[in-house]
Amino acid sequence: MKTIGICIPAIEGGVITLQEIGREAARRSIAYHQIVTHTPIYGDLEQGLKSDDNKVRVELIPDSINRTAKAGAEFAIISANTPHIVFDEIVTQSNIPVLSILDVAANYCKIQGYKSVGILGTSWTVKNGLYNGPLQKRGMAAVYDTDQTIVMDAILHELINGTFLEKTTGELVRIAKELATRCDGVILGCTELSLILSEHSCGVDVVDTTRLLSHAALDFARG
């Protein structure tokens, strides 16, 4: 069994990822895998995103991945969607294989038979059309929400800090339901969104990228 490395850009999303690997292993009645984690300095990463400085992103994430490799990780995942904006560059500078959350989510959508998929995520994810390529490659279209300011504020000022306000949850559920009227399923394109959104709470098909990536890591670790 391969040792899993997890680069954790934001703690809340990383906790879900780590927890889900353990829970999925329990569901499968298999032993836990060895897991190595590293958390880069979030403030530096956020500044790089705000200034649209790809150089910062490309330096921070591979450095984090390579730290897990030094500690024994044989492949890695990134428990966040937005850093995948520079995924190709990250891969070239990483010393171990890195699984893409974009490919994992897009493959799931294809298996589900979706034709169009809604995307909820940070403004950086939306602005860069992060899921356009992976979905189009598999014959699907990406659809984006129209209340980006609300989603971005919720992620940056509440969710990544572990704050869950009832009013904000209601707004995000409303946005997800509206988005679902224009597509077949909704991708939670920010790992922290799964803290408060689910198929149960939204009443629509939800693609939980955080948990799907965790399951994919478990599969890859087992070969």
Side-chain angles (χ1 to χ4, degrees), residues 100-117 130-142 187:
S100 167
I101 198 171
L102 308 181
D103 287 335
V104 168
N107 286 339
Y108 174 85
C109 292
K110 181 67 175 179
I111 291 171
Q112 296 302 112
Y114 297 156
K115 299 301 181 184
S116 60
V117 187
L130 195 58
Y131 275 93
N132 290 0
L135 290 174
Q136 290 171 2
K137 182 180 178 180
R138 294 163 176 82
M140 295 172 284
I187 285 178

Side-chain angles (χ1 to χ4, degrees), residues 14-220:
V15 169
I16 305 171
T17 305
L18 186 60
Q19 183 181 70
E20 185 62 19
I21 290 174
R23 289 181 175 179
E24 181 64 13
R27 294 185 198 107
R28 300 182 188 186
S29 299
I30 59 177
Y32 283 12
H33 289 253
Q34 293 190 89
I35 301 173
V36 179
T37 66
H38 180 265
T39 305
I41 299 174
Y42 176 77
D44 292 346
L45 179 60
E46 184 180 19
Q47 186 57 44
L49 288 165
K50 287 181 176 179
S51 62
D52 203 26
D53 187 348
N54 282 346
K55 183 175 181 290
V56 171
R57 286 173 268 186
V58 174
E59 287 177 350
L60 286 174
I61 302 300
D63 174 70
S64 179
I65 290 170
N66 290 337
R67 287 172 186 256
T68 71
K70 288 180 181 178
E74 295 169 83
F75 74 99
I77 58 175
I78 306 166
S79 63
N81 282 257
T82 301
H84 286 70
I85 292 169
V86 288
F87 184 74
D88 290 344
E89 292 88 342
I90 288 170
V91 169
T92 61
Q93 295 190 34
S94 298
N95 297 332
I96 52 178
V98 186
L99 304 188
S100 167
I101 198 171
L102 308 181
D103 287 335
V104 168
N107 286 339
Y108 174 85
C109 292
K110 181 67 175 179
I111 291 171
Q112 296 302 112
Y114 297 156
K115 299 301 181 184
S116 60
V117 187
I119 314 297
L120 286 178
T122 65
S123 295
W124 303 304
T125 290
V126 171
K127 180 181 70 174
N128 286 276
L130 195 58
Y131 275 93
N132 290 0
L135 290 174
Q136 290 171 2
K137 182 180 178 180
R138 294 163 176 82
M140 295 172 284
V143 180
Y144 293 93
D145 72 272
T146 56
D147 294 301
Q148 189 56 46
T149 300
I150 295 174
V151 177
M152 187 65 165
D153 284 347
I155 293 169
L156 284 189
H157 302 135
E158 296 179 30
L159 300 186
I160 66 169
N161 298 317
T163 302
F164 316 112
L165 302 180
E166 186 175 344
K167 178 182 177 181
T168 302
T169 299
E171 283 289 275
L172 292 178
V173 168
R174 176 188 63 78
I175 292 169
K177 286 183 174 180
E178 188 283 325
L179 185 57
T181 64
R182 299 184 279 123
C183 57
D184 302 314
V186 176
I187 285 178
L188 302 183
C190 171
T191 50
E192 284 74 28
L193 285 173
S194 63
L195 288 164
I196 59 173
L197 297 182
S198 65
E199 290 191 359
H200 176 72
S201 65
C202 296
V204 301
D205 282 356
V206 164
V207 181
D208 189 335
T209 59
T210 312
R211 290 181 170 82
L212 287 173
L213 181 64
S214 300
H215 300 173
L218 196 56
D219 291 337
F220 194 87

